[in-house]
Amino acid sequence: MNKTFEKLQPYLDKAMAFQTARNLFEWDDQTQAPFEAADYTSKVVGILADEYMKCLVNDDVKKLVKKLQEPKEQEELTQKEKAIIKELSKTLKELESIPPQEYKEFNELTSISNRAWAKAKKDNNYEYYAPYLKKIIEYKKKFAGYRAEKNQDSYEVLLRDYEECFGIKDLDLFFEKIKIEIVPLLKQVSKKADTIDKSYNYLKYDIEKQKEFCRYLSGYIGFDYNKGVIAESAHPFTLNLHNHDVRITNHYLENNLESAMFSIIHEGGHALYEMNIDDSLTQTLVGTGASMGMHESQSRFYENIIGRSEAFWAPIYNKLVDTYPENLKNISLEHFIKGINKAEPSLIRTEADELSYPLHIIIRYEIEKMIFSGEADVEKLPQLWNKKYEEYLGISPQNDAEGILQDTHWSFGEFGYFPSYAIGSAVASQLYAKILDLMPFEDYLREGNLTPIREFLRDNIHKYGATKNTNQILKDVTGEEFNPDYYIDYLKNKYEKLYEL
Amino acid sequence: MNKTFEKLQPYLDKAMAFQTARNLFEWDDQTQAPFEAADYTSKVVGILADEYMKCLVNDDVKKLVKKLQEPKEQEELTQKEKAIIKELSKTLKELESIPPQEYKEFNELTSISNRAWAKAKKDNNYEYYAPYLKKIIEYKKKFAGYRAEKNQDSYEVLLRDYEECFGIKDLDLFFEKIKIEIVPLLKQVSKKADTIDKSYNYLKYDIEKQKEFCRYLSGYIGFDYNKGVIAESAHPFTLNLHNHDVRITNHYLENNLESAMFSIIHEGGHALYEMNIDDSLTQTLVGTGASMGMHESQSRFYENIIGRSEAFWAPIYNKLVDTYPENLKNISLEHFIKGINKAEPSLIRTEADELSYPLHIIIRYEIEKMIFSGEADVEKLPQLWNKKYEEYLGISPQNDAEGILQDTHWSFGEFGYFPSYAIGSAVASQLYAKILDLMPFEDYLREGNLTPIREFLRDNIHKYGATKNTNQILKDVTGEEFNPDYYIDYLKNKYEKLYEL
């Protein structure tokens, strides 16, 4: 090993340990910590965060990183080490840019403002939340400003934090295409809503049986219980301590069969990504998914492209019917497949179907852009939100709780994050087009043999962790960088066929 | 606040944060971490342990502690701060005494030797484990030697780590009394074993219903679900992150009704102790139970003195019968009370009844003493063990798995720990005698009103955390220091009555 890198290793190891501990506290908080623990436990988490920062942002580490970026040292580094230095230098730049006092104030603010958001959502009272949101935005503008290059928009800085390959220009182009093609398509589909009945989905489904079936589904797609666990939380999520300890959660609704099943396939897709990262990268800065967009591409690939296909359900639909004969005995596989793919404009992003989903993202993207360019005042956001829902989805929220207040992201200061969800869907479609060229995809699904698909994703995407970025992965797998046309084509083909347009 | 103490505070906070994180990893490992996680996660835990050590054992802290022990500084400290300094100085002395390299080697050894023990127990192969045990004992002797005062026995040093008030002389006296009184009593009781039938206990008891009933029981004795959670693990245990986050586990056996019920009351007793520590002590070095013996006194008070009494079950036994009518409809309350108190010599400590329990402890205590005085070779331990079981309990293990290999403690280097269990039982009896003088204990139980009992324990014991030691607590509550006679009297009265001797 390079001597300079060797000197850096203990700092990296310490940062990894503190970060892993923070992750475990996060997991614990979401899944099982008692209600009253939070106030005291937050002190522990605060100290761990502080120690994490101190062990990376210090003169020793800065000197070592600077030295390791010199051409002579770079020559001696492996690909993995180079990727780690690149990632570390990015992290350092971000951590260093914010004066510690402001960083602390901001963390205190988001911890209060997240509670304010929850209260406002519960009480349907946007006015209560607005002053917090305003302050968060001020901090985010300031923080982005510290790192912005000359003439760079602050929103652009935030976007690149989640996806280094995508800026405002790329997303404008991407979303413009979607608007042109998908808004009219959704209107056509909406007119034929009555042709698909999914009333069966809202009957009563025993929760213990749902848990058991979801456990079966996760195993079926390849979730490895030696390297992972499933728990329950208010909102399903995936969290990894490292690639041998990947955790997903689910939630179960008695009157909604789909919800838990597709959540577990979605989170399972995230989990497979993390579980299949190469062991040589475990517990390093690049031992995790390449980006949020790339991560969503895997979860949405499993959830939608695999999980909502007829071929996937063909070998296992009987098992589902046998689990709930009272509800499903008269629902044919064909009927069920139509049901799980039914598209209808609705107000809540997390419950949206595959077709209308990107429109929810576009609304948030356009509003975020306006916030950071100064075109949208915090006070006016509810009206702006409602207007855009009317414009793109043809429906209007009855209140702010199902409108502007529905997502938790902004209350944590997460601006620029939403596009990842749409990027993920588009990346999934682009990968899918290539996979169809390379293997008898549908035949594998019909045979209940998901191994070749899982191995393809592992060998071409997962194992690299964050040593490649989204465009490098796409280029290597599909021969071209990000191309949103595949997504448009995929949605059009699928929904024109489903609704016989 | 005293200026010097103020300078110490950040070190204490950091140590608390690292220790809390280690506790959470321990909890997670025992309750839900996936199998393959261990090898990687142990690296995280190792780093946290190292950081914990470094933030306490350093010149700054040493100087501050030394200064804070000066009379002038002591005058300015509160009782709580004095207790913290005393505890810290003890911890420092212990951490400092061992050369870091040896400490590391020992930790590596115990992590391997615990696995070796598990394998040896599974395979009933003591020879496989013996070399590891030998090395552990060598380290423990050496480590105790570093701290031993002139002419002090190394086993005495280890004992005082768990109970500063109890040395070899005290325990010899205590255990001698037990042997004289209890060994013959148990023999008498054994002859009348047939007079109590508890075959009902080994019927089939649905595990989901057990869980529900145990949840009810824990709430009934006062476990606060806003400050605690219950999970499952191989062996029940209690762990606290702080007094607003106290966790207990249970395990459920389909063919043993008692096991889970009395485990949950036992762990519930530990949990009540931690939950009721005063908030002014939260997250400090004295914000936990006074000692292991004091802790066991609370768990065993709840499990045995409360939980195995007729008055406790009188108001709730019907609920248990209603939960399992098929098994219990013909078992009267009187029958059930006899069943849960049935005493019989058996080989496994953790499953022992209240009467024979201390004899299991005496066997371990006498063997540990012989190990550290050089009287017992590791190779000869199985024979020694079997001989003592024959002598005190009148029965002999069929194999080493149920003999010398049954407990995990030694594989972690925990020598001197076992007496805490017996001390706890004796302390519980001493407290019980006082409580009977002070309140209509049995009436409260019969009314299902456990609040006055819980509040008495909280106000006289729990709230002080570790600011008092075992003898101080006993003196303040009962007017005298540890007195084993109460325990002997309690056991004799109870069992003579139960078996009509």
Side-chain angles (χ1 to χ4, degrees), chain B residues 86 94 119 141 149 153 177 217 228 234 340 413 428 445 474:
Chain B
K86 197 180 152 208
E94 198 183 327
K119 187 175 156 52
K141 275 189 186 161
E149 281 156 34
D153 201 292
K177 281 192 179 190
L217 272 182
I340 60 176
L445 290 182
L474 281 173

Side-chain angles (χ1 to χ4, degrees), chain A residues 338-352:
Chain A
K338 283 190 175 170
I340 59 178
N341 284 294
K342 182 169 183 166
E344 238 174 344
S346 67
L347 292 166
I348 312 297
R349 175 185 62 84
T350 54
E351 290 166 20

Side-chain angles (χ1 to χ4, degrees), chain B residues 97-109 139 142-143 146:
Chain B
S97 69
I98 303 168
Q101 184 56 25
E102 289 181 22
Y103 185 72
K104 201 169 159 248
E105 284 163 15
F106 177 70
N107 281 331
E108 282 163 10
L109 171 63
Y139 272 109
K142 196 154 63 168
F143 292 173
Y146 291 143

Side-chain angles (χ1 to χ4, degrees), chain B residues 341-353:
Chain B
N341 283 295
K342 181 170 183 165
E344 239 175 344
S346 67
L347 291 165
I348 311 298
R349 175 185 61 83
T350 53
E351 290 166 21
D353 58 84

Side-chain angles (χ1 to χ4, degrees), chain A residues 139-151:
Chain A
Y139 272 109
K140 290 300 281 191
K141 274 188 186 163
K142 197 154 64 169
F143 292 174
Y146 292 143
R147 285 186 292 140
E149 281 158 33
K150 211 186 156 191
N151 295 326

Side-chain angles (χ1 to χ4, degrees), chain B residues 137-154:
Chain B
I137 291 167
E138 279 163 19
Y139 272 109
K140 289 301 280 189
K141 275 189 186 161
K142 196 154 63 168
F143 292 173
Y146 291 143
R147 285 187 291 140
E149 281 156 34
K150 208 184 159 192
N151 296 325
Q152 196 186 19
D153 201 292
S154 61

